[in-house]
Amino acid sequence: LSRPVALRGVVKVRHNALGTSIPGRASLLRRGAIAGTRPRFEADAMDGVGYEVSLLPGLYDISVFPENKRFPPFKEEGFQVKGETVRDVVLPGEEEYLQLVGRVVSEEGDATGIANMRVQAFTPDRERLSTPALSTTEGRFELFLPPASDIYSVSVSPTEVDPLQPAVAIEGLLVEEDLDMGDVAIGGGDLAPVQIEGRILGAGEADPVGGATVELTAEIGRGTIALSTTADEDGRFTAT
């Protein structure tokens, strides 16, 4: 059997004169000998120190998730670990990333934006991700993407602050340079909440099913709203 070995290195930014390691999280996936197996190893990258992890020898992909949210996740693929190994990860310089901005609104041209919506861009294969963002009180968001042109989907979804907003996906967005999406309309802003009540019964329609999880999905505006609630001991549930 293979013995664990140490992999260590620093995470730094290209063109950073100081050259010190930045904080974040490193996630390593081992390409398994058995098809479909991908053992994962994780380590924290410490500010000024770097990362160190004990893992099995093999071929690895490493993904780095910087603590600084101006840096999107960064991935390097296919490097070999045979024994004690040093592997530094060099992120693109801050000025190299592409910037994607916009404003979340109910309808195009609305004077008031929607706050606290979670926004993130990703390629269809999810190999490239933007930084995540929460829309401001004016509905504005700012994302940073890897420095290469690609086609992205942009996900706009509600948070616990306002769960009744619809989740929307804008697909097929070609990003070749810094881009302003303008107003991102999700719809549904003029609809009043409604209350749904029901009861969960067993197959014989006599015995209530207490504690059941009830998931509700509705098409609202240009997206969907998903709600989850739990039935009481009598099988009754309420959702708004």
Side-chain angles (χ1 to χ4, degrees):
L1 294 177
S2 300
R3 293 179 177 273
V5 297
L7 171 68
R8 63 177 61 88
V10 298
V11 179
K12 52 189 178 181
V13 178
R14 187 181 296 135
H15 310 315
N16 185 337
L18 297 177
T20 55
S21 185
I22 64 171
R25 178 171 56 87
S27 178
L28 296 108
L29 283 176
R30 182 173 182 261
R31 298 185 181 183
I34 302 174
T37 63
R38 299 295 303 273
R40 181 189 299 272
F41 302 86
E42 305 223 350
D44 290 328
M46 307 300 291
D47 191 8
V49 177
Y51 71 94
E52 181 171 349
V53 61
S54 178
L55 41 66
L56 297 173
L59 187 65
Y60 282 87
D61 301 334
I62 183 171
S63 297
V64 174
F65 302 86
E67 189 175 287
N68 185 337
K69 296 310 178 186
R70 289 181 68 88
F71 295 106
F74 181 80
K75 185 175 183 179
E76 286 186 346
E77 298 182 310
F79 68 91
Q80 192 74 40
V81 177
K82 296 181 178 179
E84 303 283 323
T85 303
V86 175
R87 181 77 179 192
D88 293 343
V89 179
V90 181
L91 306 183
E94 190 170 340
E95 72 285 353
E96 298 179 55
Y97 292 105
L98 302 179
Q99 188 179 41
L100 184 65
V101 299
R103 192 171 71 104
V104 182
V105 295
S106 288
E107 302 294 339
E108 290 185 13
D110 282 356
T112 304
I114 303 175
N116 297 304
M117 296 293 286
R118 185 181 293 108
V119 187
Q120 190 166 28
F122 50 87
T123 54
D125 57 9
R126 298 212 174 235
E127 286 295 306
R128 289 180 175 165
L129 300 174
S130 75
T131 54
L134 282 180
S135 58
T136 66
T137 52
E138 295 83 21
R140 300 191 183 281
F141 63 87
E142 179 182 53
L143 307 177
F144 294 91
L145 285 68
S149 62
D150 213 328
I151 295 176
Y152 283 86
S153 295
V154 178
S155 169
V156 182
S157 58
T159 62
E160 293 180 357
V161 176
D162 192 0
L164 295 183
Q165 295 291 351
V168 174
I170 298 93
E171 299 180 346
L173 183 66
L174 176 61
V175 182
E176 299 178 292
E177 56 188 8
D178 292 349
L179 179 65
D180 186 346
M181 295 181 65
D183 286 352
V184 179
I186 63 174
D190 57 350
L191 299 177
V194 297
Q195 183 168 288
I196 299 174
E197 298 178 350
R199 192 181 188 202
I200 309 298
L201 299 174
E205 298 187 1
D207 299 324
V209 181
T213 298
V214 181
E215 296 184 348
L216 303 169
T217 303
E219 294 186 3
I220 302 293
R222 295 175 177 83
T224 59
I225 289 179
L227 298 175
S228 178
T229 188
T230 302
D232 63 19
E233 60 183 13
D234 197 35
R236 300 185 185 279
F237 67 90
T238 302
T240 301

